Amino acid sequence: MKTIHRENSDVRRHYTVQKNSAESFHAKILYAGELKKSIGWKEQLHSHPFCEIVYVKSGSGTLHTDSGNFPVHRGDLLIYNPGILHSEASDENLEFSLLFCGIDRLHLKDKPINCILDVNACPVLHTDRLQPFFECYFENLIAEMQSKSYYYDEVSGALVRIILNLVLRLLAEQDKSYFKTNESYQRARDYIDRNYSQIECVEDVCKNMYISRYYLTHLFKEYSGLSPIQYIISKRMEKAKQLLETTDLPIHDIALQSGYNEISSFLKTFKKIENMTPSEYRDKLKKQ
């Protein structure tokens, strides 16, 4: 990881990105639109060969599908996999407003093409704290599609990807088993989590797991965005900072407990990642 151009301070903070998403996907937006406030509105039962996402901007109503009826309210998302029969209807004498988009060529791991939800999953998601984000991105998406301004196709595509990622975030937060992590990666990560302070090199992990270094590297890059050695270092630094924060142990002892037999290597690695020495890190904590 490249070092930032300036160190963190009380008035300047840097936040870096490390990949932690479980999905990489390509998707094409087909359309986006809005059903403006309508009273007593009801749609015909229908389905699509692609995915559709609907956001309830205002009002309340009922979603009818071939598997049942579901109440929907402001802030809800309605997710339609391909081939799912559905129709929406507003509550009697209440206004109903919907924002929606159609998406094709969506391919998530372990899911059929254009499918977001598992079979028989409830098609209604409550957005909760993410409600203002969904409303903002849907409205901006529709505005871009209407404007046909320069690069609107690229901006629209980016907004759709944000909406999809927020949907996946909701699903991951509500059901920890939604993303099926590769079993070999899970076992390798668990092994490192238990033994990072004793691991001398990546080959130690490979021998324990009976897999090649190439395959291990591929797994970690795909599921964590880090190489195996970067993940090992991240665990060691996590342990070192925890000891610096909670104990008065000498730096040499902290280096040993974090997996470094040579203190010079520990000091060099710590400063490269934290932009300060372990002693400076501890002193900074004491001043807070």
Side-chain angles (χ1 to χ4, degrees):
M1 181 186 298
K2 293 182 178 179
T3 58
I4 55 180
H5 69 292
R6 295 182 184 177
E7 293 187 0
N8 286 327
S9 67
D10 292 337
V11 296
R12 182 194 301 274
R13 300 295 299 175
H14 299 79
Y15 301 95
T16 59
V17 174
Q18 291 183 351
K19 180 180 178 182
N20 74 345
S21 57
E23 300 287 342
S24 296
F25 52 79
H26 299 282
K28 177 184 178 181
I29 181 169
L30 299 176
Y31 58 80
E34 178 179 6
L35 169 71
K36 295 190 175 180
K37 293 181 179 179
S38 177
I39 297 177
W41 175 81
K42 184 176 182 180
E43 190 176 41
Q44 295 293 319
L45 201 65
H46 66 287
S47 66
H48 313 286
F50 46 83
C51 170
E52 187 175 56
I53 302 176
V54 179
Y55 172 78
V56 182
K57 182 178 178 181
S58 65
S60 60
T62 304
L63 166 62
H64 303 280
T65 73
D66 50 0
S67 61
N69 300 325
F70 305 87
V72 295
H73 305 279
R74 180 176 184 269
D76 284 346
L77 282 179
L78 317 179
I79 310 291
Y80 303 134
N81 282 347
I84 298 298
L85 287 170
H86 62 276
S87 69
E88 303 98 4
S90 65
D91 287 338
E92 188 175 354
N93 300 323
L94 286 179
E95 293 181 335
F96 208 33
S97 178
L98 306 176
L99 310 178
F100 52 86
C101 64
I103 302 167
D104 199 8
R105 303 179 190 174
L106 174 63
H107 196 183
L108 302 178
K109 293 173 186 173
D110 303 314
K111 295 282 190 300
I113 191 72
N114 286 331
C115 288
I116 296 178
L117 300 177
D118 291 329
V119 177
N120 299 323
C122 177
V124 181
L125 296 179
H126 306 303
T127 58
D128 300 323
R129 64 183 177 82
L130 296 179
Q131 178 179 334
F133 296 98
F134 278 108
E135 188 160 325
C136 173
Y137 288 124
F138 262 103
E139 289 184 336
N140 277 279
L141 171 61
I142 293 168
E144 283 292 332
M145 298 285 282
Q146 287 177 324
S147 74
K148 299 289 191 294
S149 187
Y150 294 114
Y151 298 101
Y152 84 94
D153 53 336
E154 293 294 331
V155 175
S156 298
L159 289 167
V160 164
R161 286 190 291 275
I162 293 173
I163 290 170
L164 283 169
N165 276 299
L166 289 175
V167 170
L168 296 180
R169 176 181 289 179
L170 269 181
L171 292 168
E173 289 177 347
Q174 295 175 7
D175 180 4
K176 301 301 182 184
S177 67
Y178 175 78
F179 292 118
K180 299 177 177 64
T181 306
N182 181 283
E183 184 179 350
S184 294
Y185 165 74
Q186 189 69 55
R187 288 193 297 115
R189 192 184 71 177
D190 290 345
Y191 176 79
I192 292 173
D193 288 349
R194 294 192 306 270
N195 301 285
Y196 61 85
S197 62
Q198 289 84 42
I199 294 172
E200 294 184 2
C201 59
V202 174
E203 279 70 23
D204 290 348
V205 183
C206 298
K207 289 176 183 178
N208 179 272
M209 299 296 301
Y210 301 102
I211 58 178
S212 70
R213 180 166 183 156
Y214 172 83
Y215 184 53
L216 182 68
T217 300
H218 169 76
L219 288 176
F220 269 82
K221 284 291 187 180
E222 180 175 3
Y223 287 98
S224 73
L226 302 173
S227 68
I229 191 62
Q230 286 174 325
Y231 184 75
I232 292 170
I233 290 172
S234 73
K235 296 299 295 183
R236 290 176 173 176
M237 292 297 103
E238 182 181 309
K239 177 65 174 180
K241 289 191 289 184
Q242 183 261 326
L243 291 173
L244 287 167
E245 293 169 8
T246 60
T247 75
D248 293 321
L249 285 172
I251 301 301
H252 182 270
D253 290 348
I254 290 176
L256 288 175
Q257 290 193 33
S258 302
Y260 291 91
N261 293 322
E262 297 181 5
I263 191 169
S264 60
S265 178
F266 171 66
L267 294 174
K268 181 179 179 181
T269 303
F270 193 97
K271 186 166 185 178
K272 181 179 179 180
I273 293 175
E274 298 297 328
N275 296 304
M276 64 183 73
T277 67
S279 296
E280 290 170 340
Y281 183 87
R282 175 177 273 170
D283 291 340
K284 182 179 179 181
L285 290 173
K286 290 179 178 179
K287 293 176 181 178
Q288 291 180 350

